[in-house]
Amino acid sequence: MKVMKFGGTSVGKPERMHDVAKLITADPEKKIVVLSALSGTTNALVEIGQSAARFDREGAAEQISRLSNHYHTFIESLLASDKARERALAIVREHFEFLGIILRISFSESLNKDILAQGELLSTKLFSVYLEEQGIPHVLLPALEFMSIDAEDEPQLDQIRLKLSDLLARYQETGLFITQGYICRNAKGEVDNLKRGGSDYTASLVAAAIQASVCEIWTDIDGMHNNDPRIVKKTVPVEQLSFDEAAELAYFGAKILHPTCIWPTRQQNVPVKLLNTMQPLAAGTVIQKTTSSKGAKAIAAKDGIIAINIKSSRMLLAYGFLRKIFEVFEKYKTPIDMVTTSEVAVSVTIDNGSQLKYILKELEPFGTTEVEEGQTIVSIVGNQIAETKNVLLKIFDGLSHVPVRMVSYGGSKHNVSVLIPSSYRNETLQKLNLKLFGLE
Ligand code: ADP
Ligand code: ASP
Ligand code: MG
């Protein structure tokens, strides 16, 4: 059994949904198909939630009506028969009725999660109507019945495995399952989600849970490129990546994959393929346990980074000191991305500043602290970078006019990271593209 996940642009137009139906019926292997919301929908729902949160009922109503029109037009071209259109219309009505109700009740964070869930519920139900119209047998599996996260917002793979296998056992004869990406239930049983871009995470968790033969992530580009195609002019797809390399790229900003979606497939050793819905024959990228190729493979950038420097002439590097500093970040559930130390100072970076003022207060006894916002981590990822000739030379050559704030090298064999002011990001990615890959 395999998993195929289709992102927002892959289902964002009626003709794309038609293509998806062809792709999922092209081979006889049993499969679970994970769908995102139609492109633009989750952004629209985020805005609706924001309007509702500031009691801007008029604004929210207008946004809801615009989105509703979009769905009405969408089903006209998606479906041919009156019967199917009637069914789709009823589905759209039901979900927009819910959105209408939010204008009349009090706003809360949990209501917001319900709002955000509407996109994936709509896309899967409409796709199911289309499959039915085409006479393609399938079962719609509600993700809210098996996808769950714990009190720390971590997916519960064991629970997911149990619930999913129970559900699948009810449909022994079925070869095609459709389910929602992104949405799940939290520890309180409420509707929640796996954060933006979370459908990749759903696909990876489902693939790990059923021990799939492969987890295919179908998107709008032919695989992981060697650099960010939104910023750099010339980029090329990377044929192969190890799980470790892919995990680093995803975490450090390669938007094609959700930041933490690789661990489930890595844990269960399920290969992942990144494929292009618009160019199904392109090779894409294969992600598996090991990779034969060595050297730098791709560069990614993660913005919104905050650097914190803690200076202490007295205690630094006395044993136990670093632990005490890290404990402060642990207490406020704030992960640290990069660390560098010297005899008199420690610098760390975080990407979530929501607890910063409390963290700084607790760091006061350790010395003086300085905070720099607006930083970007640029990560150069590959296999055995450390042992690859001249890689460091090329990296520093590419960075010669950039005020590098921190360097992290040696933490893993797959990654060299540098911290730079975000204003230098585009120029840095472009220069490294030339120095490391000879691409201008
Ligand atoms: P989906 O809606 O299918 O989940 P996303 O927009 O989340 O698609 O991810 C695909 C996009 O990721 C591409 O269109 C591309 O602009 C962006 N992207 C950023 N970095 C990379 C990279 N290194 N390789 C490929 N795509 C990347
Ligand atoms: N629809 C969600 C989002 O836009 C999840 C996803 O597309 O992966 O973030
Ligand atoms: Mg995505």
Side-chain angles (χ1 to χ4, degrees):
M1 199 166 195
K2 72 172 174 178
V3 172
M4 297 174 87
K5 175 258 167 176
F6 294 88
T9 39
S10 303
V11 292
K13 295 208 169 106
E15 57 274 25
R16 295 266 153 78
M17 265 204 186
H18 298 164
D19 292 343
V20 169
K22 284 192 199 111
L23 284 169
I24 63 175
T25 47
D27 70 76
E29 187 172 1
K30 284 194 176 198
K31 49 190 72 85
I32 301 184
V33 173
V34 176
L35 298 189
S36 293
L38 314 194
S39 53
T41 296
T42 311
N43 285 346
L45 293 168
V46 168
E47 281 170 20
I48 291 166
Q50 285 166 347
S51 298
R54 45 169 201 269
F55 306 109
D56 176 10
R57 299 227 156 97
E58 229 170 82
E62 198 188 303
Q63 287 155 335
I64 294 169
S65 140
R66 219 178 303 139
L67 192 61
S68 163
N69 289 342
H70 179 65
Y71 276 85
H72 281 89
T73 317
F74 187 90
I75 55 180
E76 284 295 310
S77 324
L78 176 71
L79 303 158
S81 70
D82 286 346
K83 194 172 144 224
R85 282 184 182 168
E86 272 307 310
R87 288 205 47 217
L89 209 54
I91 291 164
V92 170
R93 262 196 221 113
E94 178 201 328
H95 287 275
F96 281 90
E97 238 168 65
F98 167 76
L99 289 176
I101 290 170
I102 66 149
L103 300 176
R104 281 176 263 134
I105 58 179
S106 33
F107 182 83
S108 67
E109 242 339 285
S110 63
L111 179 68
N112 198 34
K113 305 265 178 71
D114 268 307
I115 296 172
L116 295 176
Q118 303 307 306
E120 273 68 14
L121 293 169
L122 274 162
S123 65
T124 46
K125 288 185 190 177
L126 296 178
F127 186 58
S128 172
V129 174
Y130 175 65
L131 292 180
E132 208 172 278
E133 186 184 49
Q134 296 300 305
I136 300 168
H138 67 281
V139 165
L140 194 55
L141 284 180
L144 296 178
E145 283 184 24
F146 65 86
M147 192 55 67
S148 58
I149 52 174
D150 62 18
E152 305 289 324
D153 287 352
E154 291 297 329
Q156 300 173 295
L157 186 52
D158 289 337
Q159 293 284 331
I160 295 166
R161 184 181 292 119
L162 280 176
K163 288 187 188 148
L164 193 53
S165 71
D166 269 0
L167 273 175
L168 294 176
R170 290 189 215 158
Y171 306 101
Q172 304 273 2
E173 304 304 316
T174 304
L176 178 60
F177 297 92
I178 314 295
T179 194
Q180 299 85 22
Y182 178 61
I183 62 173
C184 61
R185 284 202 187 272
N186 63 24
K188 292 186 225 154
E190 300 161 342
V191 173
D192 210 318
N193 62 64
L194 301 173
K195 312 264 161 49
R196 295 305 306 270
S199 298
D200 301 328
Y201 209 178
T202 303
S204 176
L205 287 159
V206 169
I210 63 165
Q211 199 67 54
S213 61
V214 59
C215 175
E216 295 179 352
I217 308 276
W218 290 81
T219 180
D220 60 356
I221 190 164
D222 53 346
M224 177 74 78
H225 277 219
N226 71 306
N227 208 329
D228 194 323
R230 296 167 299 177
I231 298 167
V232 170
K233 279 180 234 143
K234 175 106 187 77
T235 62
V236 290
V238 181
E239 253 173 61
Q240 274 185 31
L241 288 169
S242 66
F243 287 122
D244 291 341
E245 291 164 342
E248 303 247 28
L249 284 168
Y251 188 73
F252 287 111
K255 191 196 171 220
I256 188 171
L257 286 173
H258 175 282
T260 56
C261 77
I262 286 293
W263 74 260
T265 36
R266 170 168 49 190
Q267 195 191 83
Q268 297 303 313
N269 198 15
V270 177
V272 178
K273 281 188 186 166
L274 307 181
L275 296 159
N276 189 346
T277 314
M278 273 69 84
Q279 253 178 277
L281 298 177
T285 302
V286 179
I287 302 166
Q288 53 201 1
K289 199 166 173 185
T290 51
T291 159
S292 48
S293 43
K294 273 192 196 168
K297 290 190 190 165
I299 306 168
K302 182 171 168 180
D303 293 330
I305 304 294
I306 303 165
I308 304 163
N309 183 261
I310 305 135
K311 241 189 221 144
S312 163
S313 47
R314 278 185 305 117
M315 287 181 286
L316 205 81
L317 300 192
Y319 63 82
F321 181 73
L322 284 179
R323 176 175 57 77
K324 286 180 200 147
I325 287 180
F326 289 153
E327 272 171 1
V328 174
F329 289 86
E330 188 187 344
K331 181 170 168 193
Y332 292 98
K333 294 188 177 166
T334 301
I336 292 172
D337 284 333
M338 286 175 80
V339 186
T340 56
T341 64
S342 82
E343 176 63 18
V344 292
V346 181
S347 278
V348 300
T349 70
I350 58 172
D351 67 359
N352 175 357
S354 63
Q355 305 297 308
L356 188 58
K357 71 171 190 238
Y358 309 107
I359 291 173
L360 293 178
K361 185 94 197 119
E362 292 218 18
L363 288 175
E364 267 173 19
F366 299 109
T368 53
T369 53
E370 258 172 47
V371 175
E372 278 174 87
E373 300 194 6
Q375 306 290 303
T376 291
I377 296 177
V378 172
S379 286
I380 298 97
V381 172
N383 188 17
Q384 301 184 5
I385 287 197
E387 289 115 83
T388 311
K389 208 171 152 220
N390 288 343
V391 164
L392 284 185
L393 197 69
K394 289 176 188 167
I395 293 173
F396 284 104
D397 197 11
L399 292 167
S400 56
H401 298 293
V402 182
V404 176
R405 168 74 180 69
M406 282 168 76
V407 178
S408 170
Y409 169 70
S412 97
K413 286 186 171 182
H414 315 287
N415 182 323
V416 179
S417 291
V418 292
L419 186 73
I420 60 166
S422 299
S423 53
Y424 284 83
R425 181 197 61 191
N426 294 5
E427 163 189 350
T428 303
L429 292 184
Q430 194 70 58
K431 273 197 186 143
L432 289 173
N433 211 41
L434 178 64
K435 298 290 174 193
L436 286 166
F437 305 109
L439 296 169
E440 223 157 334

